Amino acid sequence: MVGMNRWRTIAKTLLALVLVVALIMGVEGAGSAAYAALKGRSRIADPSQSAIKSSGKIAEASPPSALQELGQALEGYQPQVTILSPRKNEVLPDNTVAVRFLVKDLPIFKNETFGLGPHLHVLLDNHAYQAVYDLSKPLVFNDLEPGTHTIRAFASRPWHESFKNEGAFAQTTFHVLTKTQDNSPDPDLPLLTYSRPQGVYGAEPILLDFYLTNAPLHLVAQADEQDDIADWRIRCTVNGDRFILDRWQPIYLKGFRPGKNWVQLEYLDEKGNPVKNEFNNTVRLVDYQPNGEDTLAKLVRGDLAAADVQGIVDPNYVPPAPEPPAPPEPAPTPSPEPSIAPTPEPAPNPDDRAQPSPSPSAIAPLPAPSPTSPPLTEPIPDVNPSDSTVESPTPTPLPAPPEPLPTPTPSPLAPVVEPLRSPQPAEMPASDTPSDVPTKPARKKPQPKSLSWQERLQQYQERLSRSRSTSPSRPTPAPSSSPVPSPSVVTPELPTPDLPPTLPEIIDAPTPAASGELPTPTE
């Protein structure tokens, strides 16, 4: 039983070993197939490699945000570039060459406002590239030297970053008058095409870009150390500072000095040795002038946003019409404040019984009596005892206020007349004058001195004695207990000193009231 289990374990181990060997062979076969597929064609970008950190004064920087945003608008394009003329290995009878191109799946144009747009980088031999924005006209090279020449072309974005898809690169070798060994790269070896930087720059960071042909993927080159597939590196030197690139991706560098700079790119194998082929060692001159005013410099600095230059990636883009500037608002003119007229208070309605009692300061004082107005009381006229008749006073009705009350005409026989009481001041409506304004105090009306009944009797006796002394002597009728009735004459009873001190009715003659009725006499 134990032997059976041991054989089963051995069988399982052998089966596992067979599966591992088969897997390894499959990977190697896949790597060889991939290399065969890539041999003689452009290598696709390899984003899995690490980037440089720093080298002297030169350091890697992040791509400008505006360029990254604009790049999204071109992600869907897979340009296919073809050189129509001259044809491969063609011998030309003249040293002037007109080169024609065909580009599919990418619009080639230049935005006239910003001077940028998708274009072609075209290199004759190992000279600096020329940008082509118009494919309707041929690119002409004049006065070429006799011999062999090579033209390379690849599609580029508006900011000079190359497309790295399959078919974006095209190359042709031709001869002027005769063939030579110059400018003829080996098609079986990797080829490095220098693109950027070159020319004048107005802002950092500066783009470093190149194109690789016949270069295998790092994954394929590193699969088997015993095969003939060599790995690669790119050595970059900027003003003497060197660093190694192991990825095929555009990078941005900063640390350039103002003025003239030089940049060198070299293709190396996995051991760091240069690979001998045409154009695999190239040097370019770079002129850095800070604070440039060209469109690319403004995009790199961030002075222009991606939305401002959409016309460099879309030939059909129509910028929105600028809104007319709003007219300046006129300065506000201070207007005078409107005067608000006081609202007059409504006159008090005499029918309203519920009225607030006026304050003492709001009651207007009564007018003072004028010197010419008649006195409220008249002197008691002399009474002649010989007169047997006394006419009764006729009551006079009082006029309606505010006219002063007339003084009733006293009877000639009335010895004493009660002084009229001053009428009470009527309630006056509240004045608009504020209560805090001082008013002139009302002057009290002089009141006649009130006489007692003894003083009135004494005055009566004095007047009676004066009248007796001035009148002719005549018999004095005897007093009777009752007066003689008469239809129109009333004889008053005169008091004697022996009688109790009571005033006669004639003395307390009532003052006619406004209603015409005589008030009840009071002692």
Side-chain angles (χ1 to χ4, degrees), residues 317-366:
Y317 177 75
V318 178
E323 297 181 359
E329 297 181 358
T333 304
S335 58
E337 297 182 358
S339 58
I340 302 176
T343 305
E345 296 183 0
N349 191 353
D351 297 338
D352 297 340
R353 299 188 179 185
Q355 296 180 354
S357 58
S359 59
S361 61
I363 300 177
L366 294 176

Side-chain angles (χ1 to χ4, degrees), residues 45-70:
D46 185 4
S48 63
Q49 304 305 314
S50 60
I52 66 169
K53 300 301 180 183
S54 62
S55 177
K57 297 180 180 179
I58 300 300
E60 184 178 5
S62 299
S65 57
L67 301 184
Q68 295 185 60
E69 185 176 349
L70 291 170

Side-chain angles (χ1 to χ4, degrees), residues 43-345:
R43 173 192 171 278
I44 62 174
D46 185 4
S48 63
Q49 304 305 314
S50 60
I52 66 169
K53 300 301 180 183
S54 62
S55 177
K57 297 180 180 179
I58 300 300
E60 184 178 5
S62 299
S65 57
L67 301 184
Q68 295 185 60
E69 185 176 349
L70 291 170
Q72 298 176 2
L74 300 175
E75 287 295 330
Y77 290 99
Q78 298 291 318
Q80 303 297 308
V81 180
T82 303
I83 300 177
L84 300 178
S85 64
R87 295 185 302 271
K88 187 175 182 179
N89 293 324
E90 181 181 1
V91 179
L92 302 178
D94 193 0
N95 63 348
T96 298
V97 179
V99 185
R100 293 185 178 272
F101 303 93
L102 174 65
V103 178
K104 297 181 180 179
D105 198 19
L106 180 68
I108 302 298
F109 69 96
K110 176 190 283 189
N111 184 279
E112 297 298 333
T113 302
F114 302 105
L116 296 178
H119 58 281
L120 291 179
H121 283 190
V122 180
L123 296 87
L124 174 64
D125 300 332
N126 204 27
H127 298 289
Y129 73 82
Q130 297 186 40
V132 176
Y133 292 92
D134 187 4
L135 300 182
S136 63
K137 299 178 182 179
L139 176 62
V140 178
F141 293 98
N142 298 312
D143 299 329
L144 293 180
E145 294 181 1
T148 302
H149 298 277
T150 298
I151 291 179
R152 292 170 288 174
F154 54 89
S156 176
R157 294 172 174 85
W159 47 96
H160 307 291
E161 176 189 335
S162 61
F163 284 88
K164 298 174 177 60
N165 61 280
E166 187 71 24
F169 178 88
Q171 174 181 318
T172 185
T173 299
F174 62 95
H175 313 282
V176 175
L177 302 178
T178 185
K179 293 181 181 181
T180 63
Q181 299 299 320
D182 302 328
N183 304 317
S184 180
D186 188 348
D188 295 330
L189 294 178
L191 177 63
L192 170 65
T193 300
Y194 186 108
S195 177
R196 301 286 285 189
Q198 76 170 37
V200 181
Y201 289 84
E204 286 186 332
I206 295 176
L207 172 66
L208 173 65
D209 192 24
F210 52 91
Y211 202 96
L212 291 179
T213 309
N214 295 336
L217 292 173
H218 288 290
L219 178 63
V220 176
Q222 297 172 2
D224 188 2
E225 296 181 358
Q226 302 300 327
D227 59 17
D228 58 349
I229 303 175
D231 200 2
W232 59 269
R233 298 288 187 271
I234 301 298
R235 182 165 61 192
C236 180
T237 305
V238 179
N239 298 329
D241 296 333
R242 290 184 175 183
F243 53 91
I244 299 299
L245 299 175
D246 57 358
R247 57 174 177 159
W248 186 23
Q249 289 291 318
I251 63 173
Y252 284 84
L253 302 176
K254 62 181 180 180
F256 289 82
R257 61 194 179 201
K260 303 297 182 179
N261 299 265
W262 61 272
V263 179
Q264 182 181 13
L265 294 181
E266 299 175 81
Y267 189 96
L268 308 178
D269 60 14
E270 56 188 1
K271 296 180 181 181
N273 299 320
V275 175
K276 299 298 182 178
N277 198 4
E278 292 288 342
F279 320 134
N280 277 356
N281 190 342
T282 305
V283 180
R284 292 285 187 265
L285 189 63
V286 178
D287 188 7
Y288 174 46
Q289 300 295 332
N291 303 320
E293 293 299 324
D294 58 289
T295 302
L296 183 58
K298 292 180 180 179
L299 286 172
V300 171
R301 283 198 306 265
D303 296 345
L304 285 177
D308 301 331
V309 293
Q310 285 293 324
I312 68 175
V313 295
D314 183 4
N316 300 320
Y317 177 75
V318 178
E323 297 181 359
E329 297 181 358
T333 304
S335 58
E337 297 182 358
S339 58
I340 302 176
T343 305
E345 296 183 0

